Amino acid sequence: MTKAPAILFATSEMAPWVKTGGLGDVAAALPVALRRAGHDLRVLLPFYPALQQAFPQAKQIAAIPPLAPALPAARLLAAEDNGLPLLLLDCPELYQRPGNPYLAADGLDWPDNASRFGLLSRVAALLGQAASPLAWRPDIVHANDWQTALAPAWLHYQGGAASIVTVHNIAFQGCYPAATRAALGLPEAAWRFDGVEYHGQVSFLKAGLQLASLISTVSPTYAREIQDEEFGYGLAPLLRHRRDHLHGILNGVDTEIWNPATDPSLAAHYAANRLAAKRANKLALQRAMGLAESADRPLFGVISRLTAQKGLDLLLTIGDGIPHLPAQLAVLGSGDKAMEAGFLALAERHPGQIAVSLKFDEDLAHRIEAGADCFLMPSRFEPCGLNQMYSLRYGTPPLVQATGGLADTVVDVSAATLADRTANGFIMADGSAHALWQAMERATTTWQDKRLWQRIQQNGMRRDFSWSHAATEYSQLYRDALATRT
Ligand code: ADP
C-alpha cells in the first residue's frame, strides 16, 4: 500500500481552547483519528491567548516575513497536544485578543478579519509550497470554513500541494472589499468570476469552493442540500457546477465523553443490554428540573441554541398540548430572547409537566440525554448535528426533521425499518408545527409499547458514531484529491 498522504489541517478553532461551533469540535477530534489512520498530519492555527496559556513552552521553528501589504511578519511555533503536532501562527498584532476569535467585545467583527484570516490562509498555502520555511511538506492542505478557504487560491495560482475545503457552516463566507485582493497579495489573475471575486467583493469561502482540488461538507444530505438555493446562501450555483468534486462525510462524536456506561454526570450507568438502569436517570432528571415523578408518560428532551435554525418556534406553537399527549418536556437552551421568554412562559403555564433551564450547562446536557425518553430536534437545517447522535448512543430516540445530518443518522420507525432493525427514531412528515405534533403523538404511542421502544433504543445504541469512520472517508478523499493532480 502507498504511504498515507501528509496533511496540513488548517483551522481557526480547536476545542477546548477556542470554539464557537462544530468546527472547534471537529478540529479537536478528526486530526487525532487521521493520525491514528497513519497520516503524518499537523494542525495549523493562530497562537491565540488561550493557546499561549496552554502551550507556554511552544518553540519557534520559522520566521515568516511580511508577504503582502496587509500581511505582517509572523512566527511559526511548534507544540504537541498529546502527541498531535501543532503549528501555532504567532502574530501578536492580529491574534493577541481576548474572547471570541471573530468578534470584538461590541459583538461586531474585528475590522481587520480579512488580514487575520488572510494571514492564516496565506501561511497554510505557503507550508504547502516550495517556498515553505519548513522542511516538512504536506501533500494536502485541508482548509476549513471561510477562515482558511483562501489557501487553495494561492495553491491554485502559484502551485503547491493539493487542497480540500470542508464546509462546516455555509452561512459565514468572509466577504471583503475588492481592494482586499491586492492587500493580501493575491494575483490580478484571481479577480475573475471563477477566481476569488464574488459580486464585486473578495469572498474567502467562494474562492476555496471554486479553486480547491476537492470540497467536502459534514454530512451527505447537507452536501446535496447546499446545491439548492434554499440552503446554499448564494453559493448553490457554484456547488452545482462542482458537484462532482463535492463530498459529504458525516462527523463522528466523542464516544468516550458521550458513553452512558461510564458518563460521570449520570445517576446510573447503562448500556444497550442493561437498559433498565436508564429509568433512574429519568427520575433524577424529573427531580432536578422540578417535574412530576410520573412513570406513565414519556419525557421529551431538548438541548439547543434557541434560534430559528433549530425549529424550536414550532415546539412553542404546540407546547401547550404536550401535557395532554400525555407527556413531559425538559428544555435546556439559551439564545433568542423572545424564544427564551416563550419557553419560560410555557413552563409557568404547566408546572410539573414542562421545565425550562435557560443556561449553558454541559452536566445537565448529559443528564437530559440520559434521562429523557425521546430527544426533540426539529431543525430547519442541520449541517451535521451532534445531539441526535448523542441521543442515539444514550438510548433516547431522536425526533427530527429530515434535513442534513439528521436525515443521515435518524431512521424513522416503520414496519420495514423495524424488520431490518434500522428504526431508531422519528421523522416529521414536513417542516410544520402540525407535523411536529403528529410525530410527538406517534412517539408517545410507540413509547407505551415497552418492548417495541426497547428495540428502537437498541437499534440506535448499536450504531457506531466514532471518528474512525469519518477518518477512513477523509483518507479516501485525500487520495482522490491527489489523483486530481495527476
Ligand atoms: P450547533 O453546533 O448548531 O449548536 P449541534 O447539535 O451540532 O448544534 O451541537 C450543539 C452542541 O452544543 C452539543 O454538544 C450540545 O449538547 C451543546 N449545547 C447546546 N446548547 C447547550 C446548552 N444550553 N447547555 C449545554 N450544552 C449545549
Side-chain angles (χ1 to χ4, degrees), residues 180-461:
T180 308
R181 181 201 59 76
L184 295 181
L186 285 158
E188 252 184 84
W191 192 252
R192 290 170 54 105
F193 79 97
D194 57 357
V196 305
E197 188 268 343
Y198 183 63
H199 297 301
Q201 293 193 300
V202 171
S203 165
F204 279 44
L205 184 61
K206 184 263 177 176
L209 298 181
Q210 183 79 55
L211 301 169
S213 314
L214 291 177
I215 306 164
S216 78
T217 187
V218 291
S219 70
T221 296
Y222 195 60
R224 286 192 297 278
E225 286 174 342
I226 55 178
Q227 297 176 48
D228 286 346
E229 308 308 328
E230 188 190 342
F231 294 98
Y233 283 84
L235 295 171
L238 164 54
L239 290 165
R240 285 199 295 275
H241 177 68
R242 295 212 69 198
R243 64 180 173 276
D244 294 341
H245 297 88
L246 169 61
H247 300 262
I249 300 178
L250 195 71
N251 285 339
V253 301
D254 190 320
T255 51
E256 279 171 31
I257 292 180
W258 293 94
N259 180 357
T262 55
D263 188 334
S265 298
L266 304 196
H269 292 145
Y270 61 96
N273 58 355
R274 285 182 284 125
L275 266 170
K278 189 176 190 302
R279 251 179 268 139
N281 291 295
K282 179 172 178 178
L283 201 61
L285 180 63
Q286 285 170 322
R287 275 190 197 143
M289 292 197 74
L291 291 166
E293 292 169 22
S294 19
D296 67 332
R297 54 192 60 198
L299 171 53
F300 288 96
V302 172
I303 305 161
S304 185
R305 291 185 291 119
L306 301 180
T307 67
Q309 178 201 333
K310 300 294 179 180
L312 293 168
D313 48 314
L314 307 177
L315 186 58
L316 281 176
T317 305
I318 59 162
D320 286 309
I322 291 172
H324 309 292
L325 272 170
Q328 295 182 332
L329 173 68
V331 177
L332 169 63
S334 59
D336 183 277
K337 293 299 162 210
M339 231 185 256
E340 287 189 355
F343 275 109
L344 271 188
L346 181 67
E348 272 167 26
R349 290 198 296 277
H350 303 282
Q353 299 305 322
I354 297 182
V356 171
S357 179
L358 299 178
K359 54 185 180 177
F360 193 95
D361 184 337
E362 296 260 359
D363 185 65
L364 183 55
H366 283 247
R367 290 186 282 134
I368 291 179
E369 286 292 2
D373 293 298
C374 180
F375 191 85
L376 298 178
M377 209 160 162
S379 307
R380 293 196 163 83
F381 71 92
E382 197 64 77
C384 176
L386 289 170
N387 275 311
Q388 85 281 12
M389 294 194 269
Y390 301 153
S391 303
L392 289 166
R393 282 184 60 75
Y394 277 58
T396 307
L399 186 163
V400 304
Q401 256 196 78
T403 183
L406 301 177
D408 293 324
T409 49
V410 180
V411 180
D412 194 47
V413 172
S414 70
T417 58
L418 282 169
D420 68 14
R421 305 172 84 182
T422 54
N424 63 17
F426 300 87
I427 293 189
M428 294 157 56
D430 58 48
S432 65
H434 181 63
L436 175 59
W437 175 254
Q438 283 182 321
M440 288 175 72
E441 269 186 324
R442 201 153 60 87
T444 301
T445 312
T446 309
W447 178 82
Q448 303 291 348
D449 183 338
K450 297 290 179 267
R451 290 188 54 191
L452 176 58
W453 194 259
Q454 188 172 317
R455 280 165 62 196
I456 298 165
Q457 291 176 297
Q458 287 171 335
N459 287 345
M461 295 178 90

